[in-house]
């Protein structure tokens, strides 16, 4: 049984590749598309950094419309050098002032370790230059991400940085207090 709200993988395969299906969907979309007359500056002047998990429909969950925000997504929603690059461009070139971080419950990064990089090295003969950024405690990882944003010398606005955990079973956000610290056994 498929857990997706969309057609099964078998149904997609019979109609061509997934990419073919997406291109066809775009053609239908473009047929009725009207230029919204926007530029790249988000109306709400906010950048949202979130996990790439397919269960997170950020626009629906946050009540956002097209043009409201910049959305930066990666595995875990962690603040990496590339996220700082995107946030820097978002703030300095496109006027955002607020940063919202959204991690979530039952994240795949909670079940990985940095051994993943070593396993890749064994398989392909080269270790990736990037870190997995795996974590055990989602709340603490949100705090770490908030700290990385707040202390980046490249960002102009670090006073409105807030972090949340999205519950994938209830759809609710839970705000993380940046001043709490992890229990001693997790630190």
């Amino acid at each position: 049984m498929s857990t997706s709200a969309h057609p099964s993988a078998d149904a997609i395969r019979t109609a061509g590749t997934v990419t073919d299906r997406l291109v066809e969907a775009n053609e239908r979309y473009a047929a009725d598309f009207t230029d919204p007359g926007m530029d790249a500056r988000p109306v709400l002047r906010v950048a949202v950094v979130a996990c790439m998990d397919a269960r997170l429909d950020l626009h629906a969950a946050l009540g956002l419309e097209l043009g409201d925000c910049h959305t930066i997504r990666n595995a875990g929603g962690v603040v990496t050098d590339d996220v700082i690059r995107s946030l820097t461009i978002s703030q300095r070139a496109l006027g955002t002032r607020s940063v919202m971080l959204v991690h979530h419950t039952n994240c795949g990064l909670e079940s990985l370790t940095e051994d993943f990089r070593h396993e890749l090295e064994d398989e392909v003969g080269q270790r990736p230059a990037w870190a997995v950024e795996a974590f055990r405690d989602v709340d603490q990882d949100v705090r770490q991400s908030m700290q990385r944003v707040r202390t980046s010398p490249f960002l102009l606005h670090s006073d409105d940085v807030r972090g949340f955990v999205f519950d994938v079973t209830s759809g609710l956000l839970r705000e993380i207090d940046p001043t709490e610290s992890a229990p001693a056994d997790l630190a």
Side-chain angles (χ1 to χ4, degrees):
M1 181 170 135
S2 174
T3 57
S4 174
H6 300 287
S8 70
D10 290 335
I12 291 169
R13 275 197 280 292
T14 61
T17 69
V18 172
T19 304
D20 291 337
R21 186 174 67 84
L22 298 176
V23 170
E24 290 168 10
N26 173 257
E27 290 169 358
R28 290 187 300 276
Y29 171 79
D32 295 325
F33 184 78
T34 303
D35 179 357
M38 301 176 185
D39 67 13
R41 295 175 182 273
V43 173
L44 299 179
R45 299 174 66 179
V46 62
V48 179
V49 178
C51 185
M52 66 186 192
D53 192 295
R55 296 171 290 181
L56 277 65
D57 183 349
L58 289 174
H59 277 73
L62 302 176
L64 295 167
E65 299 293 331
L66 181 67
D68 281 348
C69 72
H70 284 158
T71 306
I72 304 161
R73 295 182 79 157
N74 66 20
V78 295
V79 175
T80 61
D81 286 344
D82 193 59
V83 168
I84 294 295
R85 178 188 71 88
S86 294
L87 287 173
T88 301
I89 293 166
S90 178
Q91 287 189 358
R92 291 180 176 266
L94 298 166
T96 61
R97 298 186 60 86
S98 300
V99 177
M100 182 176 189
L101 305 170
V102 181
H103 287 38
H104 65 92
T105 58
N106 301 320
C107 184
L109 284 187
E110 292 175 296
S111 62
L112 289 177
T113 67
E114 290 299 318
D115 288 341
F116 182 77
R117 292 174 68 229
H118 301 291
E119 292 163 5
L120 283 172
E121 180 180 21
D122 292 343
E123 181 182 328
V124 303
Q126 180 179 340
R127 186 181 312 152
W130 39 264
V132 175
E133 295 279 355
F135 53 87
R136 290 188 204 134
D137 180 337
V138 67
D139 291 16
Q140 187 56 31
D141 200 63
V142 171
R143 285 186 198 94
Q144 175 177 289
S145 290
M146 285 190 281
Q147 185 65 15
R148 286 178 177 176
V149 172
R150 287 188 172 127
T151 59
S152 173
F154 306 109
L155 299 175
L156 295 172
H157 308 287
S158 58
D159 54 322
D160 187 12
V161 178
R162 293 172 63 187
F164 300 84
V165 174
F166 177 86
D167 186 313
V168 297
T169 59
S170 72
L172 289 173
L173 289 175
R174 177 173 51 83
E175 188 159 10
I176 301 302
D177 182 343
T179 62
E180 289 183 21
S181 60
D185 61 327
L186 293 177

